Amino acid sequence: MQNLTYLAVFEPSTDGSYSIYFPDLPGCISVGNNLEEAARMATEAATLHVYSMECDNEEIPTPSVNLSKEDTEGNVVMPVTIHPDLFRMKKDNERIKTNITLPAWLKRIAEEQKVNYSRLLETALIDYLQIPMSGRQ
């Protein structure tokens, strides 16, 4: 299982909230009302950011060990560990809704027989695409 630990920079605001960014993950930003919430939001933001990069076939940046003085001065720096493999597995196995079109007569008969459309379609697609048992998520 792959774990990545990035350094998150938490910039405090006068109202007690924190803006969050990751120098190693340009464009990955978030905010939290307090440090505890900001830490949770940082983990979520980094996880989603890396997942999005993977989906776009972008190279995942290697986490830095140190940050510049510009990033650290006056800010809180915290390591944030994410688990891309676990998140990807969760997203890949997430059930999503899809729409199908059937003739009305066929739908009536299927409903009378209490057909589970989702299970039937999933099984039929696996069969149709010839996905072996070992290739299933």
Side-chain angles (χ1 to χ4, degrees), residues 93-113:
N93 286 290
E94 193 173 73
R95 299 295 175 166
I96 57 171
K97 194 169 217 160
T98 190
N99 221 356
I100 63 167
T101 305
L102 296 172
W105 65 267
L106 184 57
K107 183 176 186 283
R108 269 193 310 278
I109 294 170
E111 286 176 350
E112 287 170 5
Q113 299 292 316

Side-chain angles (χ1 to χ4, degrees), residues 32-122:
N33 291 324
N34 54 51
L35 193 55
E36 184 180 331
E37 181 183 65
R40 283 194 310 273
M41 298 304 291
T43 301
E44 182 178 319
T47 299
L48 289 169
H49 192 84
V50 168
Y51 177 73
S52 176
M53 291 179 75
E54 285 179 344
C55 289
D56 293 340
N57 293 316
E58 295 179 26
E59 188 174 334
I60 306 304
T62 302
S64 296
V65 178
N66 297 309
L67 298 179
S68 70
K69 186 176 180 181
E70 179 183 303
D71 287 321
T72 60
E73 196 167 339
N75 298 321
V76 176
V77 176
M78 192 182 304
V80 173
T81 300
I82 62 171
H83 311 281
D85 295 343
L86 291 177
F87 188 75
R88 186 180 334 96
M89 187 183 315
K90 176 184 170 192
K91 293 300 281 180
D92 285 350
N93 286 290
E94 193 173 73
R95 299 295 175 166
I96 57 171
K97 194 169 217 160
T98 190
N99 221 356
I100 63 167
T101 305
L102 296 172
W105 65 267
L106 184 57
K107 183 176 186 283
R108 269 193 310 278
I109 294 170
E111 286 176 350
E112 287 170 5
Q113 299 292 316
K114 299 188 180 348
V115 170
N116 180 329
Y117 294 109
S118 296
R119 185 171 310 255
L120 179 63
L121 181 58
E122 181 178 346

Side-chain angles (χ1 to χ4, degrees), residues 15-36:
D15 65 358
S17 66
Y18 289 84
S19 297
I20 310 149
Y21 69 93
F22 293 83
D24 292 332
L25 301 171
C28 182
I29 59 172
S30 193
V31 66
N33 291 324
N34 54 51
L35 193 55
E36 184 180 331

